[in-house]
Amino acid sequence: MSIKVRTKIITPAMAEAMLQTSAELGAINRKLNNRHVELYANEIRSNRWKLNGDAIRLDADGRILDGQHRLHACVLAGIPFKTIVMTGVEADTFDTMDCGRVRTTSQVLQLADVKYNALIASIIRGSSEIRSVGHTDMKEKRLSNTAALADYNANADLYNRAAAVSATAVAESHSMTPKLAGSIYYYLVHDLKQDEAKVEKFIREICSFDTSSNGVIDKLRKWNLSNRTVKVSERTRLGYTILTWNAWISGSRKAPRFSESSIEEMPSFIGK
């Protein structure tokens, strides 16, 4: 049996028909990951989907062996996409597919010659998580590599400054992660349009060994230092940092109350 390879424009109707045919034939696929479907659909909607050689693979009868997430994404997006389609693939080759190592966002940035590639990749992810869900404890990828690279290219100078400040500030006391410090820095400057000098002062002072000139900041600085070897969730650290920022930026002299337990309701950053 020969394998046929063609480049095709798959419409939502075609994708739905392929999925239905495959299901009726009793195809066995991995459990559908809705997060991946939404990620791919967003790439198609944003016109970032690229013909990169990855193929939709079908056996001779039309069972989908590889590509169900891309087809579901096409249906969800309601927009056609261009892809390679292989037909006539032997069904018993299913276990050999997707065995390669997935390229990380950090590696994509490294290939683009980005200096702080690993840290910036985490800041892109962390600031996106603060923006979308209010914290940075997500375990699943919310941005594709293409979207992350496009975001970096659009805001490269700010990402590099956020990485440089967070790396040097955190190196003094290691009281929070560079990802958390950098994500806060980027989010406050980019999303809330806060004065960058004030944001840098805030980040450096909460990570410092030296007593802060502000009592509100100093309380968080001391709490961070006393808990740097304690397993405290990043969500809790972010929550207390948000409360401290809100008190400091609004001119309050009353510091928030901290405890060792996880923060129940995530606050939101305020601007000035």
Side-chain angles (χ1 to χ4, degrees):
M1 185 181 297
S2 62
I3 295 176
K4 294 180 181 179
V5 182
R6 291 177 294 171
T7 301
K8 296 181 67 174
I9 302 292
I10 304 293
T11 66
M14 291 167 62
E16 195 163 17
M18 292 166 71
L19 289 164
Q20 184 175 347
T21 297
S22 183
E24 290 172 353
L25 290 169
I28 300 175
N29 289 125
R30 291 174 296 174
K31 182 179 179 181
L32 195 69
N33 186 315
N34 290 323
R35 182 81 71 186
H36 286 169
V37 173
E38 291 170 5
L39 191 70
Y40 295 161
N42 189 48
E43 292 299 284
I44 294 171
R45 292 190 197 102
S46 304
N47 199 30
R48 289 193 295 259
W49 191 268
K50 296 179 181 179
L51 185 67
N52 64 358
D54 289 345
I56 306 291
R57 288 181 269 199
L58 312 172
D59 69 8
D61 295 321
R63 292 181 182 86
I64 299 168
L65 303 179
D66 188 23
Q68 64 160 339
H69 287 86
R70 283 164 278 172
L71 293 172
H72 277 286
C74 178
V75 175
L76 179 62
I79 300 171
F81 75 108
K82 192 175 186 179
T83 188
I84 293 171
V85 178
M86 289 185 182
T87 56
V89 180
E90 293 287 349
D92 62 3
T93 62
F94 177 80
D95 60 346
T96 68
M97 298 176 187
D98 294 328
C99 293
R101 188 176 179 185
V102 177
R103 185 169 288 169
T104 65
T105 302
S106 174
Q107 290 167 338
V108 169
L109 293 175
Q110 183 181 31
L111 290 171
D113 202 28
V114 176
K115 180 180 178 182
Y116 297 101
N117 55 82
L119 177 52
I120 288 176
S122 69
I123 292 172
I124 291 173
R125 185 172 65 251
S127 58
S128 172
E129 289 164 354
I130 294 174
R131 185 179 307 118
S132 58
V133 296
H135 59 85
T136 60
D137 263 358
M138 297 296 294
K139 302 302 180 185
E140 294 192 51
K141 191 175 182 181
R142 300 186 64 86
L143 283 177
S144 70
N145 289 339
T146 306
L149 182 59
D151 189 24
Y152 171 77
N153 287 332
N155 304 282
D157 289 344
L158 180 54
Y159 272 122
N160 280 296
R161 290 197 301 273
V165 169
S166 62
T168 55
V170 169
E172 180 177 348
S173 66
H174 298 285
S175 60
M176 66 166 49
T177 65
K179 172 195 172 184
L180 183 56
S183 299
I184 292 169
Y185 185 107
Y186 182 86
Y187 179 80
L188 287 172
V189 176
H190 179 268
D191 290 69
L192 290 191
K193 311 301 180 187
Q194 298 302 286
D195 180 77
E196 194 164 354
K198 285 187 177 180
V199 173
E200 180 172 347
K201 174 182 172 65
F202 178 75
I203 294 296
R204 291 193 183 280
E205 289 202 9
I206 62 175
C207 292
S208 176
F209 275 123
D210 297 328
T211 301
S212 171
S213 58
N214 183 279
V216 172
I217 292 179
D218 205 45
K219 182 175 180 180
L220 178 62
R221 182 190 68 82
K222 291 176 180 177
W223 185 87
N224 275 339
L225 289 173
S226 65
N227 285 279
R228 60 179 175 162
T229 60
V230 179
K231 191 174 181 180
V232 178
S233 74
E234 196 167 78
R235 183 180 185 278
T236 297
R237 290 190 188 278
L238 173 61
Y240 289 159
T241 305
I242 293 172
L243 291 174
T244 300
W245 165 268
N246 290 350
W248 179 66
I249 202 68
S250 62
S252 173
R253 294 185 179 182
K254 186 176 181 181
R257 295 180 62 185
F258 305 145
S259 69
E260 302 303 323
S261 59
S262 296
I263 193 163
E264 292 182 8
E265 186 175 343
M266 262 325 260
S268 298
F269 283 109
I270 63 172
K272 185 177 180 181

